[in-house]
Amino acid sequence: MKWHKRMLTLLQKQGNKKVALCVDTSTNEVPKMLINNIVKLFEQLKPDTLLVQADFKIRSITPIKSDTIKYYSHGKSSYTLVLEWAQEEKLDTLFYITDVTGFIPEEMDTVDFDLYWLVPDDFIPHVPFGKVIKVA
């Protein structure tokens, strides 16, 4: 459970930074308990975190709360709108829980904030930017 310590350290370093946690809701075949535990960690350590629920579109942006996530079964995911939203909101850090199988436009090769892909799977795909943390 090496990722627990890493997440704890990253969250403690956020201080007064503007942070969001996005959950990819494009499938209902996800480890819901794991995701809820990650959301609870944010809820306890960084309660001003925004919770973004998104798949091929942004479904909601709310204060962080672990029992409010709604999953879908269509399997379509695009990261474009969330990444653009994060830039417009001038986030300092975005944590994104996803299997990283969604769409990222080729012309987007960097972002102006720290980005952590939290992958709840044993398979870790290549990401064009940001850092991957395996949370499986």
Side-chain angles (χ1 to χ4, degrees):
M1 300 259 182
K2 187 177 178 181
W3 68 268
H4 286 104
K5 186 175 180 180
R6 186 166 180 201
M7 286 300 303
L8 183 62
T9 302
L10 284 171
L11 284 173
Q12 289 171 335
K13 289 181 179 179
Q14 296 307 308
N16 293 328
K17 292 181 178 178
K18 192 170 183 180
V19 176
L21 172 65
C22 184
V23 177
D24 178 353
T25 59
S26 64
T27 180
N28 56 11
E29 296 177 18
V30 295
K32 291 181 180 105
M33 183 191 270
L34 171 65
I35 292 172
N36 279 337
N37 286 337
I38 292 170
V39 175
K40 284 178 188 171
L41 182 66
F42 277 80
E43 200 174 349
Q44 292 171 357
L45 296 177
K46 187 84 172 105
D48 60 341
T49 299
L50 292 173
L51 176 63
V52 180
Q53 296 183 55
D55 43 40
F56 59 86
K57 65 181 182 178
I58 295 174
R59 299 280 181 174
S60 68
I61 300 170
T62 61
I64 193 120
K65 193 144 173 60
S66 59
D67 60 355
T68 60
I69 300 172
K70 181 176 185 324
Y71 297 95
Y72 300 87
S73 60
H74 54 68
K76 296 181 223 161
S77 185
S78 173
Y79 308 117
T80 308
L81 293 176
V82 173
L83 298 175
E84 289 173 348
W85 169 84
Q87 290 199 164
E88 289 168 12
E89 289 295 311
K90 297 185 178 12
L91 286 185
D92 294 303
T93 309
L94 175 64
F95 294 87
Y96 209 129
I97 302 173
T98 181
D99 57 8
V100 198
T101 58
F103 176 75
I104 300 172
E106 287 182 25
E107 62 274 5
M108 186 179 277
D109 58 1
T110 188
V111 290
D112 298 334
F113 49 85
D114 292 331
L115 174 61
Y116 295 94
W117 303 98
L118 307 180
V119 181
D121 197 350
D122 286 327
F123 174 71
I124 305 296
H126 170 74
V127 296
F129 46 83
K131 296 178 181 154
V132 174
I133 299 175
K134 179 179 162 184
V135 293

